[in-house]
Amino acid sequence: RPGRRLTRGLPVVQRGWGPRGLRLLSETCEGVVIVDVLSFSTTVTVALGRGITVHPFRWRDERAAELARELDANLALQRRDARLRPGSVSLSPQSLQRATGIERLVLPSPNGSTICATLAGQGATVVAGGEPPAQSGPWAKAGARRRSSGPWG
């Protein structure tokens, strides 16, 4: 259930799921750890482990491409598009493991980036964690600013 408190002699920990959980956590927590079982958190972990600054972005449209141009960053493409363009990356952690020469990455994600951007916009400290592949290094800690585009790194 969203907001269920788990304690073991440590600071109070709350967990949430979906929009209702997001609202509750943003109202009651100073910091939030996003652990998502999809690709977002693992991709962030791989990117940061390789020294890439990640700019999470809510939308996968021209706004994301414009931000990438402004930041002189690579734009993560949809997986099918990245497969057709050699050297491109996507929300797939494997595409970042193979990539070279990337310093900054705009990472559109309908789930992870939106959740992180919403929480950061409400003043929470946001940390993305995932199960890193062996080559990617330790968990990724991401200090989100109060705007949706990050940067984390």
Side-chain angles (χ1 to χ4, degrees):
R1 293 184 342 238
R4 183 174 147 207
R5 292 176 181 260
L6 307 170
T7 60
R8 296 197 194 293
L10 299 171
V12 174
V13 174
Q14 292 180 279
R15 64 178 171 83
W17 182 263
R20 183 170 176 245
L22 177 63
R23 272 192 308 280
L24 176 69
L25 293 173
S26 68
E27 294 169 0
T28 61
C29 296
E30 294 178 26
V32 179
V33 176
I34 305 298
V35 179
D36 116 45
V37 296
L38 302 171
S39 298
F40 176 77
S41 295
T42 304
T43 301
V44 169
T45 302
V46 171
L48 295 178
R50 300 198 60 217
I52 299 169
T53 300
V54 177
H55 298 269
F57 200 70
R58 296 179 193 218
W59 302 280
R60 181 180 302 281
D61 60 13
E62 185 53 38
R63 291 173 285 189
E66 183 179 319
L67 179 63
R69 285 190 295 274
E70 288 174 15
L71 297 173
D72 191 28
N74 290 71
L75 174 64
L77 304 174
Q78 291 196 22
R79 289 175 196 218
R80 68 178 175 273
D81 296 334
R83 281 191 286 262
L84 299 173
R85 295 174 60 185
S88 296
V89 296
S90 70
L91 192 56
S92 162
Q94 292 81 12
S95 73
L96 277 174
Q97 287 178 313
R98 293 186 302 266
T100 59
I102 297 177
E103 295 179 18
R104 289 170 297 286
L105 179 67
V106 173
L107 186 60
S109 165
N111 297 310
S113 287
T114 299
I115 291 167
C116 291
T118 300
L119 290 168
Q122 295 172 354
T125 298
V126 181
V127 177
E131 183 65 35
Q135 305 93 320
S136 70
W139 269 28
K141 179 177 180 183
R145 295 190 309 188
R146 292 180 65 97
R147 52 185 285 234
S148 64
S149 58
W152 294 358

